[in-house]
Amino acid sequence: GISPMENVVKECAEEAGIPQNLAEQAKPAGAVSYAYCDEDGNISKSLLFCYDLELPPDFIPKAVDGEVQEFFLWDLDQVANSIKADYHDPIKPNCYLVIIDFLLRMGYITPESP
């Protein structure tokens, strides 16, 4: 296998065309875990390692492997709005956990936030 950081570098290149030297600047930021039950009653557990990577203002990501349709440059208000139940373009459910973790770490929301 490969280490979490090696996977970050690999995924940055595949998903967004981020060069290795830039991807290696990603900072470990923690992890989120979750469990879910599928329609057959099987329980699955997952652990997502979170990294923060500040990109240069002039960097333009490019979808390389076809898994990502497009990228957006959002401020924190737009990121927070993306997790609302009535948001027009739902995000993969496990991504909500990472977004909430990020908003908490940035101080944008608190555990007391609705």
Side-chain angles (χ1 to χ4, degrees), residues 2 4-27 49-55 59-68 71:
I2 63 175
M5 179 52 108
E6 290 169 328
N7 196 54
V8 166
V9 171
K10 178 179 81 70
E11 291 295 326
C12 281
E14 291 175 3
E15 303 295 340
I18 298 172
Q20 180 176 344
N21 66 322
L22 185 55
E24 289 174 339
Q25 296 175 28
K27 304 283 186 242
F49 293 100
C50 301
Y51 287 77
D52 291 339
L53 176 61
E54 189 168 334
L55 297 169
F59 180 80
I60 300 172
K62 296 172 187 67
V64 175
D65 67 3
E67 289 185 30
V68 176
F71 293 92

Side-chain angles (χ1 to χ4, degrees), residues 46-100:
S46 290
L47 176 65
L48 303 175
F49 293 100
C50 301
Y51 287 77
D52 291 339
L53 176 61
E54 189 168 334
L55 297 169
D58 61 343
F59 180 80
I60 300 172
K62 296 172 187 67
V64 175
D65 67 3
E67 289 185 30
V68 176
Q69 290 180 328
E70 61 186 315
F71 293 92
F72 303 98
L73 178 59
W74 284 353
D75 60 29
L76 283 177
D77 287 335
Q78 291 167 301
V79 172
N81 283 333
S82 74
I83 64 173
K84 290 184 178 178
D86 62 348
Y87 188 70
H88 69 280
D89 188 13
I91 295 171
K92 286 176 31 181
N94 64 346
C95 295
Y96 291 116
L97 298 172
V98 175
I99 293 169
I100 291 167

